[in-house]
Amino acid sequence: MNRWKKRALSLSALVLAAGAVLLVFSLQPEIAPVAPPQASQFSAEQIARGKTLAALGDCKVCHTRTGGQVDAGGMAFNTQFGTIYSSNITPDVATGIGSWSYPAFKRAMRYGINREGHYLYPAFPYTSFTLTRDDDLQDLYAWLMIQPAVSYRPPKTELHFPFNVRQGMFAWNWLFLTPGPFPVNPQQSEEWNRGAYLGESLGHCSACHSPRNLAGAEKGGSHHLSGGIVDGWRVPALNSHSPAPIAWNHQQLMEYMRKGFATSHGVAAGPMAPVIAEGLSQLPEDDLKAMATWLASFQPPWPDHSKEVSNQAEQQMMQANSPGARQFAGSCMACHAQNTGPKLYGVRPSLMLNSNLYSDSPDNLIRIVLDGIQHPATAELGSMPGFRYQLNNQQIAVLLNYLRTDLAQRASWPDLQNRIEQIRQQTEDKS
């Protein structure tokens, strides 16, 4: 046997030994099943707090499939690694978490490992949930365990190799999971720390509002809260990287989280609408104030010129006579350029101040023009009709280019008409 063969065999043996060690350390024990706890085991205060925490964590939003029963799972999350389906978190013994003790629930939330000892994928944002305090986890457990049990087994998650090997999540967690609970920042106020705790733990804002690396982990440091992508939607940055022409202030953040609309920024759409409807809008005022204080601390100290900008934009819209302006007049002006009189269709956001106009990508605006906003965050906002069947790709491109260049005073998006066609095709089956 020559020297190279010996080296190859030695290297192979080393790899196999390392793999065996990794397998041994990655194995997690099963936590014994228990009988579903009775509601009498929990106090009314625990259950009330748990209800609020479930809203903060968007449990219903992610664990309820379209047309399905609340928290029974089955919602599909399309990732670059394959499709992941949310689990059943009702207290059904056979298909849900009814046999989970509190220690089993805590292990899943803190370390991403279920009762049986199987690793969970971070589409379930345990990297944020790990920061939740024990008392809040206990209250959330109490709330979930008194909900109606639903017998439903979601489709099985099937990822591409090697991501379908769940044991590999041991290495992923070693690299990217920092177990909690949330650390207090002594240099910030009590309200700021409360808001940061809510937003970083169960609120898991960074799960959508931060970019991810090739391994699917959130990027930290300066990338934290600097924007991401969810279901094809461009999720805006919450820090100084925000494309918004006017910085968010405390009042606007409160208004947006409570109602899904801020006059100087726009209306919640896409994946954010249900987060407002089922989550943030349900929180106590003090919690929203704290979260607004935390989020506002990331904003640059720009003055608010929203009224001047909005008035200027309306004058431009009324005076312009380009093909884009005429398309706007025919399709949009009835709702988006009326600041007086009765509100026929709910709120009328100023398009001049819409953050999507200032984004590097036209994707969000294309999706909204095609399919509108059929399910607003709150009923009083009113809905917006889609123009998928009324406007062709060229007409939409002319309209969006007008909004981008004439109103926002930004360079036109490249290859806009082709991008509209791509998104039209991608969303055809979902419309």
Side-chain angles (χ1 to χ4, degrees):
M1 185 179 293
N2 62 37
R3 181 177 60 181
W4 295 109
K5 286 185 177 179
K6 287 181 179 179
R7 288 183 177 179
L9 286 173
S10 297
L11 180 60
S12 298
L14 183 62
V15 170
L16 288 173
V21 171
L22 178 65
L23 178 63
V24 169
F25 277 97
S26 67
L27 293 176
Q28 299 294 333
E30 178 180 355
I31 295 178
V34 298
Q38 301 298 309
S40 58
Q41 294 180 227
F42 310 114
S43 69
E45 292 78 10
Q46 263 191 300
I47 293 171
R49 288 193 299 266
K51 180 180 180 180
T52 298
L53 293 167
L56 173 66
D58 300 321
C59 300
K60 185 188 300 185
V61 174
C62 291
H63 289 274
T64 307
R65 70 192 187 282
T66 302
Q69 292 177 274
V70 173
D71 289 343
M75 175 174 280
F77 293 85
N78 298 313
T79 75
Q80 66 266 45
F81 313 112
T83 302
I84 297 173
Y85 293 92
S86 62
S87 58
N88 183 338
I89 58 169
T90 72
D92 182 68
V93 172
T95 64
I97 61 172
S99 63
W100 288 34
S101 62
Y102 171 71
F105 177 75
K106 178 180 176 179
R107 184 171 73 170
M109 297 290 285
R110 278 273 166 82
Y111 304 104
I113 302 167
N114 72 7
R115 186 192 68 77
E116 291 84 2
H118 301 148
Y119 286 88
L120 303 173
Y121 291 116
F124 173 69
Y126 61 86
T127 51
S128 295
F129 293 164
T130 187
L131 300 175
T132 311
R133 295 192 305 258
D134 286 351
D135 57 337
D136 282 341
L137 286 178
Q138 290 166 352
D139 294 342
L140 179 59
Y141 176 77
W143 167 254
L144 292 174
M145 285 300 170
I146 69 160
Q147 300 310 300
V150 178
S151 178
Y152 172 75
R153 197 175 300 279
K156 187 178 179 181
T157 291
E158 296 285 358
L159 301 187
H160 314 308
F161 180 83
F163 307 106
N164 60 336
V165 181
R166 286 185 182 263
Q167 294 300 113
M169 289 305 301
F170 170 80
W172 193 97
N173 287 346
W174 181 74
L175 290 170
F176 303 117
L177 173 64
T178 303
F182 183 78
V184 173
N185 186 340
Q187 298 180 339
Q188 296 288 352
S189 68
E190 181 178 349
E191 184 174 65
W192 187 96
N193 273 288
R194 173 65 177 168
Y197 167 70
L198 294 173
E200 298 281 21
S201 62
L202 279 176
H204 64 284
C205 300
S206 63
C208 293
H209 288 274
S210 292
R212 294 180 179 266
N213 61 25
L214 294 177
E218 293 176 28
K219 293 183 179 181
S222 63
H223 296 286
H224 184 60
L225 298 178
S226 64
I229 299 176
V230 174
D231 292 338
W233 289 80
R234 302 283 173 160
V235 184
L238 297 179
N239 56 20
S240 59
H241 295 288
S242 170
I246 295 171
W248 289 82
N249 62 32
H250 191 275
Q251 180 182 351
Q252 291 161 1
L253 287 163
M254 284 282 293
E255 181 182 8
Y256 189 81
M257 288 189 288
R258 176 65 73 202
K259 299 179 181 179
F261 171 66
T263 53
S264 297
H265 294 277
V267 177
M272 191 63 194
V275 170
I276 299 290
E278 304 292 347
L280 294 174
S281 66
Q282 310 300 313
L283 299 185
E285 197 76 1
D286 286 347
D287 285 351
L288 288 183
K289 287 180 179 178
M291 291 183 69
T293 296
W294 168 62
L295 290 170
S297 70
F298 297 110
Q299 298 297 303
W302 297 340
D304 186 351
H305 297 306
S306 56
K307 291 183 179 180
E308 296 93 322
V309 173
S310 184
N311 291 336
Q312 178 186 359
E314 185 163 353
Q315 290 300 316
Q316 287 178 259
M317 288 188 287
M318 297 298 292
Q319 296 171 7
N321 193 34
S322 64
R326 291 194 293 272
Q327 187 67 65
F328 178 86
S331 302
C332 313
M333 187 173 287
C335 294
H336 287 285
Q338 295 181 22
N339 293 326
T340 59
K343 294 185 176 182
L344 301 178
Y345 306 108
V347 297
R348 300 191 186 94
S350 168
L351 297 184
M352 177 67 181
L353 300 176
N354 192 296
S355 300
N356 292 314
L357 275 184
Y358 301 83
S359 171
D360 292 336
S361 167
D363 290 10
N364 289 3
L365 282 177
I366 294 172
R367 289 173 177 272
I368 292 171
V369 171
L370 285 173
D371 297 317
I373 301 176
Q374 306 301 324
H375 303 287
T378 51
E380 61 268 24
L381 295 180
S383 61
M384 172 184 161
F387 294 88
R388 177 181 292 271
Y389 304 110
Q390 287 75 36
L391 301 179
N392 61 34
N393 295 341
Q394 182 181 9
Q395 290 171 312
I396 295 176
V398 167
L399 171 63
L400 294 186
N401 192 57
Y402 161 70
L403 295 175
R404 170 76 169 178
T405 60
D406 287 39
L407 297 191
Q409 298 290 302
R410 296 293 189 273
S412 59
W413 287 296
D415 206 22
L416 181 57
Q417 191 166 323
N418 285 336
R419 186 57 184 156
I420 294 168
E421 175 60 23
Q422 290 171 2
I423 293 180
R424 185 188 288 270
Q425 293 299 322
Q426 292 169 7
T427 57
E428 191 69 40
D429 295 337
K430 299 179 181 179
S431 61

